[in-house]
Amino acid sequence: GGVVAEYFSEGDPLAKRLHELALPEAVPKELFLGVIVVLVLINLPLFLLDVQLILLHLFLLRQGLTTYEYILVKVGRNHVGLRQAGNAGIDQGTGTKGSGKLVCQKIPTLPACMD
């Protein structure tokens, strides 16, 4: 942002910074501005995808789902999630983790544009 602001500001601080880089005088400063614009255009969509991925995983964390469980729900194999109730170690009677009881739970999903 600072380089673009310098380009459009009064005076010529961008030219001074480019001169300090020991680049040939024949290289126009518009070339550097163009490179910066191209880099922003490439990296901005990638940044937005990263933000979307973080939001998806925050949603999954809040719902207590793994990515695999969520994908199964989204592809339609598992409309109602089944989970074991309780997390208090191994049940002595059944030898299973928790109480051994399965609990039906409707799993919310995000809009398709957020997946």
Side-chain angles (χ1 to χ4, degrees), residues 53-73:
L53 187 63
I54 290 169
L55 292 175
L56 171 67
H57 282 90
L58 288 174
F59 170 79
L60 293 178
L61 183 66
R62 183 158 170 86
Q63 296 300 320
L65 294 172
T66 65
T67 305
Y68 181 72
E69 290 170 337
Y70 186 73
I71 291 171
L72 287 179
V73 169

Side-chain angles (χ1 to χ4, degrees), residues 27-103:
V27 177
K29 63 182 180 180
E30 288 80 12
L31 174 69
F32 289 101
L33 182 64
V35 169
I36 290 171
V37 168
V38 168
L39 289 174
V40 167
L41 290 176
I42 291 170
N43 286 303
L44 184 62
L46 297 174
F47 173 74
L48 294 175
L49 288 172
D50 285 339
V51 169
Q52 187 272 331
L53 187 63
I54 290 169
L55 292 175
L56 171 67
H57 282 90
L58 288 174
F59 170 79
L60 293 178
L61 183 66
R62 183 158 170 86
Q63 296 300 320
L65 294 172
T66 65
T67 305
Y68 181 72
E69 290 170 337
Y70 186 73
I71 291 171
L72 287 179
V73 169
K74 288 300 280 192
V75 296
R77 291 187 188 167
N78 191 8
H79 292 289
V80 176
L82 296 176
R83 292 197 201 156
Q84 284 191 337
N87 294 343
I90 303 297
D91 187 325
Q92 297 299 326
T94 62
T96 60
K97 185 175 180 182
S99 66
K101 296 178 184 175
L102 293 178
V103 177

Side-chain angles (χ1 to χ4, degrees), residues 10-30:
E10 302 242 351
D12 208 6
L14 180 61
K16 182 180 176 185
R17 285 177 78 184
L18 293 177
H19 181 68
E20 290 172 359
L21 293 174
L23 294 173
E25 293 291 327
V27 177
K29 63 182 180 180
E30 288 80 12

